[in-house]
Amino acid sequence: MGSIQPTHEQVAVLYVIVVYTIAIFALWCLPLFRVLINPLKLFTIGAHELCHVIAAIMSGGTILSITIDPNLGGCTRVMDGHPTIILCAGYIGSSLIGGLFILASWTILGSKIASFVIGFGMLAPVVLVRDLFTLMCIIFYEALLVGFWFIAHGAALRWYVLFFGVMNVLYVVWDLADDKFFKKQNTSDATQFEILYPELPTHLAAWLWILFQLGVFLCFIFIGLIAFKKTDDQLAHQASIFLPT
């Protein structure tokens, strides 16, 4: 088993994770800037709602409607199925998706593979977009993704994928921020838990889910520190076997 002691290259990743966490919170909450990340929010909210959909179908439910909106939030309406499983699946799924992106970002090869998921995931909600600005932002982020393939033979993709990882793995924080600061129409899952279980107040459910996602976040970081000890040159050589640029 590898050491948990970070290498020089890994220390840089840890610093970037901290910066990303602060930057995403600011971008998600500041009114003049939150529209700039609408495509990224559509991806994150869409992935979260997809987890609800999968849990609903697997527990015998029927999907009535799905809403994915960067301002109103996400909402999946279900008939039948297991309510607790369906509700828990959202934050659990977001945590795992974000964690896998974080793992992928430790290597250029993993980031290349993850970039296809991200590229498709940002294009999928285009049918829901009604304003030109958000559509232009989607085109910009897709172009940025493609461009990163050609920067240092794809090394820049690591930081792009890592950003999506942090945004998804801590989705509960941004979801609750929307509830508190913007009173969004589709309330957070923590609020829905109080409706489902009146004895569990929203603030308690929120803290439980925050602690859960922080735990998952740290677990995936520790896995990365232990499993991926390659130098930058070794990462570049490994990535050269898959669609070299």
Side-chain angles (χ1 to χ4, degrees):
M1 180 180 291
S3 169
I4 199 171
Q5 180 70 29
T7 63
H8 175 73
E9 289 84 359
Q10 289 177 325
V11 168
V13 175
L14 296 177
Y15 280 127
V16 172
I17 286 174
V18 174
V19 172
Y20 277 178
T21 303
I22 297 170
I24 292 169
F25 184 79
L27 289 170
W28 199 289
C29 296
L30 293 175
L32 296 179
F33 294 96
R34 57 193 266 114
V35 295
L36 297 177
I37 60 168
N38 273 354
L40 315 187
K41 292 169 69 178
L42 283 170
F43 178 98
T44 303
I45 296 169
H48 177 84
E49 295 306 319
L50 177 62
C51 296
H52 286 309
V53 169
I54 293 172
I57 294 172
M58 292 185 67
S59 64
T62 301
I63 307 301
L64 301 179
S65 67
I66 303 172
T67 301
I68 302 172
D69 188 281
N71 300 310
L72 302 179
C75 179
T76 299
R77 300 189 184 281
V78 179
M79 181 175 65
D80 300 326
H82 195 292
T84 304
I85 292 175
I86 296 169
L87 195 52
C88 288
Y91 287 147
I92 293 174
S94 292
S95 305
L96 295 178
I97 291 169
L100 290 173
F101 280 151
I102 290 171
L103 277 188
S105 72
W106 288 102
T107 68
I108 302 172
L109 177 59
S111 299
K112 283 183 173 182
I113 296 170
S115 71
F116 286 99
V117 178
I118 292 172
F120 175 78
M122 282 197 294
L123 284 177
V126 164
V127 294
L128 304 175
V129 175
R130 296 292 180 266
D131 64 287
L132 180 60
F133 180 76
T134 299
L135 184 59
M136 292 175 62
C137 284
I138 290 174
I139 295 171
F140 170 77
Y141 284 113
E142 291 285 1
L144 198 63
L145 179 63
V146 173
F148 279 7
W149 269 79
F150 299 93
I151 298 177
H153 304 291
L157 286 170
R158 293 182 60 197
W159 312 115
Y160 196 101
V161 173
L162 180 60
F163 192 91
F164 274 81
V166 175
M167 181 173 280
N168 280 269
V169 79
L170 293 178
Y171 177 66
V172 63
V173 177
W174 332 131
D175 199 25
L176 291 167
D178 271 345
D179 265 4
K180 182 173 180 59
F181 300 125
F182 298 98
K183 309 298 181 185
K184 63 177 181 177
Q185 178 178 314
N186 299 317
T187 55
S188 68
D189 289 359
T191 302
Q192 294 300 313
F193 263 100
E194 184 174 17
I195 296 173
L196 188 60
Y197 299 105
E199 65 276 12
L200 182 64
T202 298
H203 70 274
L204 179 57
W207 276 112
L208 290 173
W209 281 114
I210 289 172
L211 291 174
F212 170 79
Q213 290 206 324
L214 284 174
V216 173
F217 193 16
L218 292 174
C219 283
F220 277 103
I221 290 174
F222 287 143
I223 292 171
L225 289 174
I226 294 170
F228 303 108
K229 293 292 187 182
K230 289 182 170 60
T231 64
D232 288 342
D233 289 339
Q234 290 172 323
L235 291 175
H237 177 71
Q238 180 192 52
S240 66
I241 65 175
F242 180 71
L243 298 177
T245 53

